[in-house]
Amino acid sequence: MTSWLDVPDDHPFGIDTLPYGIFSTAEQPDRRRVGVRIGDHVLDASAVAALGGDPGDGPHLAAAWANPSLNAFIALGRPAWTIARDWLTEILTDDVHRAGVEPHLLSLDRVTLHLPIEVADYVDFYASEHHARNVGQIFRPDNPALPPNWKHLPIGYHGRAGTVVVSGTDVVRPSGQRKAPQDAAPVFGPSIRLDIEAELGYVVGGATTIGSRVSVDEAADHLFGVVILNDWSARDIQAWEYVPLGPFLGKSFATSISAWVTPLDALRDARISLPGQADPPVLPYLEGDAFGLDVHVEVSLNGTVVSRPEHAGMYWSPAQMLAHLTVNGASVRDGDLFGSGTISGPTRDSRGSLLELTWNGTEPLALADGSTRGFLEDGDTVTMTAWAPGPRGSRIGLGQVTGTIVPTAP
Ligand code: CA
C-alpha cells in the first residue's frame, strides 16, 4: 500500500504510521487543532473531515479534530479510532481523494507542534527488570536488588500531570533538599545529579467509571497510542525524599513527551511475547493478552549516542500495567498517561538512565566533543528517538523527544 504522496518506502512516517499530534501555523497561532503526519507533511485533519468525508453514521471526526488537544478524539473510543485510521488511510492512498486532500497538507517546517494531550492522570511504572536491579544495587547495596513484590505486580507511583511538556520545551534545573548519607544535615540548592529516564508513555482513552476494572484482555481497547517519554529525574533530591512514599519533587518538575502519538494500531507488527513471567506465576487478574512491543529507542546527549534501550526486554506488558492500575476500582480518564518505567537492557550501552550508564556518576560517559558527563550540565540537550517494525518491512517512526537543561531561576 502506498500513498499518492511521494513518500519514500523507508520513510519512518509512511502510510503505515499516521501518528496524531496538535499543531498551529504562523498565520493562525491560536488555532490549535489535530494534525496527522505523513512523510514530511502534516494533514489538517479537521479541515479534511469537514469536507464531508465523515462516515455517515460514524463518529464526528471533524468536530473532534478541531480541538486543541487529542482528548476529544480519544474520548470517542476504540471503534472510532479504527474508523478514523481506516478513513485516513483511504484518503491518503486512493487517488480519487487527492484533489480534495492535497490543499490541506502543510509542510512540517511550517507548523508548530504542541502538547498533544491534556494529560488527565499520570502514572509512572517500573517495568524493566534490568533497570530495577541496577537501581536496587546502586541505592540499596545491602539489600536484594529486586524488592519482594517486584515480580508479583507492576510497581508504579502517581506523578504530576500538569508538568508533562512537549518535546522541545526547555527544562529548568530543579532545586530541592539533598543529603548524602555521610552528611549531618540536608542542604537546599539546585540539583547536582540531574538525570534522564528513557521510557515509552501510553496514552489511555475509553473512560471508565469508579468501581470498574480494565482486564488485561480489555486493555488494548483503552490504549490509544504511544509516545516517547523522558522522565527527568533529580537523583539527589529523589534519594533523600523517597522513603517511605516514593518519588515526589525529584520527578515532578518536568516530564517530556514526543509531539506525535503513534496509534497502537500502527504497532501491530511490533507485538511480541514478553520475555517470561513463569517464575513466579502472576495472579489471575494479570493474565491474558499481555503483549510486549518491539520498539527500539536511541538516546543522544549533545549529539553523542549514549544508549540504545530495547523495549522488547520489558518484564511487564502495558496491558498488565493498565489492569493493575484499575484492579482496585480506580477509573481511567480520557487523556490518562502512564510511563513504562526506564527501559534498560543487560549491557551498559542499553541502559536508559545516566544513573545506570555512569553507575551513579562513578564511571563518566565520554562525549564526542571530548567532555565527560556523570549527570547533566546546564545547556545539555538530550534527544530520544524510537522506531518499531511495521508491515512489509516498513519502519514505524515514533518521532523524538528532546529537551535542553537551563539554569535554575535565581
Ligand atoms: Ca521513571
Side-chain angles (χ1 to χ4, degrees):
M1 187 164 45
T2 54
S3 171
W4 44 257
L5 272 85
D6 191 18
V7 182
D9 287 344
D10 59 351
H11 198 294
F13 292 95
I15 192 67
D16 299 313
T17 307
L18 301 184
Y20 296 97
I22 296 293
F23 77 98
S24 63
T25 61
E27 294 78 25
Q28 295 178 299
D30 296 328
R31 202 177 140 236
R32 299 185 183 191
R33 68 263 201 203
V34 174
V36 176
R37 182 162 175 184
I38 175 81
D40 294 320
H41 287 81
V42 176
L43 179 69
D44 187 342
S46 64
V48 171
L51 294 176
D54 256 353
D57 297 325
H60 295 292
L61 298 175
W65 284 341
N67 283 281
S69 85
L70 287 171
N71 290 45
F73 175 50
I74 291 170
L76 296 176
R78 166 61 63 192
W81 307 339
T82 301
I83 290 170
R85 186 169 165 83
D86 290 347
W87 181 77
L88 288 164
T89 302
E90 182 194 328
I91 65 167
L92 290 167
T93 50
D94 191 335
D95 217 42
V96 71
H97 298 289
R98 181 171 185 163
V101 173
E102 208 158 31
H104 300 287
L105 284 167
L106 295 90
S107 177
L108 187 64
D109 57 17
R110 290 195 53 234
V111 306
T112 301
L113 297 171
H114 303 280
L115 188 66
I117 50 174
E118 186 179 339
V119 182
D121 286 304
Y122 169 50
V123 166
D124 196 20
F125 283 96
Y126 195 49
S128 159
E129 182 174 355
H130 295 291
H131 174 68
R133 286 187 180 279
N134 287 337
V135 171
Q137 288 176 43
I138 292 169
F139 277 179
R140 295 174 293 276
D142 299 329
N143 292 307
L146 283 187
N149 57 1
W150 198 90
K151 289 200 170 182
H152 294 279
L153 56 86
I155 296 176
Y157 67 94
H158 281 92
R160 194 162 186 84
T163 50
V164 176
V165 297
V166 71
S167 175
T169 306
D170 285 345
V171 173
V172 178
R173 180 178 296 274
S175 290
Q177 286 195 23
R178 63 176 183 271
K179 180 187 140 352
Q182 67 273 18
D183 294 341
V187 297
F188 176 85
S191 169
I192 57 175
R193 288 178 180 264
L194 186 53
D195 198 357
I196 59 169
E197 291 193 340
E199 307 190 15
L200 293 187
Y202 300 95
V203 177
V204 175
T208 62
T209 54
I210 293 178
S212 63
R213 301 174 180 176
V214 176
S215 70
V216 172
D217 286 336
E218 291 165 339
D221 285 343
H222 295 270
L223 293 170
F224 171 74
V226 178
V227 292
I228 314 171
L229 184 151
N230 185 351
D231 174 24
W232 303 96
S233 300
R235 300 300 181 193
D236 43 355
I237 298 172
Q238 181 186 357
W240 170 229
E241 75 177 359
Y242 87 102
V243 178
L245 291 186
F248 187 32
L249 303 181
K251 299 276 194 178
S252 63
F253 55 95
T255 304
S256 298
I257 62 171
S258 54
W260 295 112
V261 182
T262 304
L264 193 69
D265 283 341
L267 298 172
R268 286 183 189 282
D269 289 74
R271 289 199 187 198
I272 52 168
S273 301
L274 294 175
Q277 295 181 337
D279 183 27
V282 296
L283 287 168
Y285 80 89
L286 290 169
E287 292 176 347
D289 184 14
F291 59 88
L293 290 173
D294 183 20
V295 178
H296 311 274
V297 182
E298 186 175 276
V299 182
S300 299
L301 172 50
N302 296 344
T304 301
V305 175
V306 296
S307 182
R308 290 191 171 90
E310 293 287 343
H311 187 269
M314 300 297 268
Y315 190 86
W316 293 103
S317 164
Q320 292 175 311
M321 295 184 228
L322 190 58
H324 184 65
L325 197 158
T326 60
V327 74
N328 64 348
S331 54
V332 296
R333 299 200 285 169
D334 298 308
D336 275 5
L337 173 70
F338 66 88
S340 61
T342 309
I343 307 164
S344 287
T347 57
R348 187 188 188 202
D349 61 4
S350 61
R351 296 173 183 163
S353 69
L354 294 177
L355 176 75
E356 297 162 90
L357 284 164
T358 71
W359 213 252
N360 204 17
T362 61
E363 302 169 14
L365 282 173
L367 303 185
D369 65 1
S371 64
T372 61
R373 289 292 184 285
F375 291 94
L376 297 174
E377 297 183 1
D378 290 345
D380 282 352
T381 297
V382 177
T383 302
M384 300 173 185
T385 60
W387 66 275
R392 305 175 309 280
S394 65
R395 279 193 173 201
I396 306 297
L398 278 77
Q400 67 170 25
V401 60
T402 189
T404 297
I405 305 302
V406 299
T408 306

